[in-house]
Amino acid sequence: MAKWTARDIADQTGRTVVVTGANSGLGAEAAKALGAAGATVILACRNVDKAAPVADAIGANAEVRRLDLADLSSVRDFAAGVDTVDVLINNAGVMGVPQSATADGFEMQFGTNHLGHFALTGLLLDRVTDRVVTMSSLMHRIGTINVDDPNWQHRRYGRWPAYGQSKLANLMFAYELDRRLAAAGSTVKSLAAHPGYASTGLQGHTQSVWDRLMGVGNLFAQSAEMGALPELYAATAPSAVSGSYLGPDGPFEQRGYPKVVGSSGKSRDRAVAASLWGLSERLTGVTYRFAKSSGLGEESVPVE
């Protein structure tokens, strides 16, 4: 995929793509590139007013719908209104925020970044025809999944360990979804991606000195357009392999063009991934059901 860019996106006419968090940053750039390639793009955003200019820039093939990943009732309402989707891009997220809770009482980063997308994907999966792309981060490497206390109720909260846990959960979810889809004989793909270090609005909401520090760092970051390339490749390239993880090809995966990259040993722990999956189903109330290609109907397929 040498120097793959948005200009290499194949014609997406007739395809519907849902992009969460498409009102700014990576999501906005991904949505605009997909719209330019002919896709019908559903901009799934908490703030629909902020998403409107992005939809206007795309044109008639863009639609804005409200989705608050920090509120499972909003996730269910959004999913109920989607008839079909070829590609789901789990792009939205929060980073490094002070300790707070979602509408359902989950730690904000774990609840928004992972549980919200876990629920959304499960509710939409029977309508996804091609693939699911879930955004992770280089910060997954500092994360640890604590299945006994995922919401930081019994230990001292740390904004960056909490963010790392949420991004590790995103990546482990993408890998586990790939395994379960394969076990069910499904042709739907699950991939993950990360943007390297890209200048987006995500860095300005920590409500701490980190906002200023990362603002300085953004002077040396790559653009949001470049940062969106790994997820765009994962979402559109016919050659993209299910279960793969895409990131920039530059030094330390900080910047550059899409390539398949590695991930931490923790992210490959199948036992923890299975535990996280079960925990996520219990917390969200969303139980996945996978359609077997053998004609046996739909049933949950465990991964050993």
Side-chain angles (χ1 to χ4, degrees):
M1 67 183 82
K3 307 307 179 189
W4 189 93
T5 73
R7 292 188 296 275
D8 297 306
I9 297 175
D11 183 16
Q12 300 294 299
T13 302
R15 290 163 64 81
T16 298
V17 184
V18 171
V19 184
T20 68
N23 57 289
S24 63
L26 302 174
E29 296 305 326
K32 287 188 283 189
L34 290 163
T40 295
V41 186
I42 299 176
L43 286 69
C45 305
R46 182 177 60 84
N47 190 321
V48 295
D49 292 335
K50 288 185 177 180
V54 181
D56 290 343
I58 295 171
N61 54 327
E63 179 181 353
V64 178
R65 298 189 191 179
R66 187 177 186 277
L67 169 66
D68 184 353
L69 290 162
D71 184 345
L72 291 179
S73 65
S74 176
V75 174
R76 290 182 180 276
D77 288 345
F78 174 86
V82 177
D83 295 324
T84 184
V85 53
D86 295 286
V87 180
L88 169 62
I89 304 181
N90 292 323
N91 167 86
V94 293
M95 182 179 74
V97 297
Q99 186 170 18
S100 58
T102 69
D104 303 281
F106 308 130
E107 186 276 315
M108 184 60 72
Q109 297 183 91
F110 183 70
T112 302
N113 298 351
H114 170 61
L115 292 177
H117 282 127
F118 180 92
L120 177 65
T121 305
L123 292 167
L124 288 179
L125 193 59
D126 63 345
R127 281 155 278 170
V128 175
T129 66
D130 184 13
R131 65 189 76 181
V132 177
V133 178
T134 302
M135 290 299 287
S136 184
S137 165
L138 286 167
M139 292 285 281
H140 86 269
R141 294 184 178 276
I142 72 166
T144 297
I145 303 298
N146 189 321
V147 294
D148 295 320
D149 186 25
N151 293 305
W152 299 80
Q153 295 169 317
H154 307 294
R155 54 191 166 132
R156 183 176 180 179
Y157 180 76
R159 68 178 72 212
W160 296 114
Y163 180 68
Q165 176 183 248
S166 74
K167 291 287 100 180
L168 177 58
N170 285 148
L171 186 52
M172 296 183 81
F173 163 66
Y175 288 156
E176 183 72 0
L177 179 59
D178 166 66
R179 290 189 288 265
R180 292 182 182 236
L181 287 166
S186 174
T187 59
V188 174
K189 298 178 180 180
S190 172
L191 304 96
H194 81 80
Y197 190 69
S199 178
T200 72
L202 190 64
Q203 292 97 344
H205 300 283
T206 69
Q207 300 177 38
S208 72
V209 69
W210 283 102
D211 289 346
R212 281 178 288 176
L213 293 174
M214 289 187 290
V216 174
N218 279 347
L219 297 175
F220 306 96
Q222 67 175 348
S223 66
E225 293 92 334
M226 287 294 295
L229 291 181
E231 66 185 286
L232 284 168
Y233 181 90
T236 64
S239 59
V241 177
S242 188
S244 59
Y245 183 36
L246 286 301
D249 64 356
F252 308 106
E253 300 171 25
Q254 292 285 313
R255 59 196 305 121
Y257 298 88
K259 74 168 186 177
V260 175
V261 296
S263 61
S264 69
K266 290 179 182 179
S267 73
R268 299 289 183 176
D269 189 321
R270 295 193 177 198
V272 174
S275 295
L276 174 63
W277 188 282
L279 172 67
S280 301
E281 287 194 332
R282 291 193 298 275
L283 291 177
T284 62
V286 175
T287 300
Y288 277 59
R289 302 190 69 83
F290 297 90
K292 279 183 172 290
S293 60
S294 60
L296 297 178
E298 294 187 353
E299 61 178 293
S300 293
V301 180
V303 175
E304 299 296 336

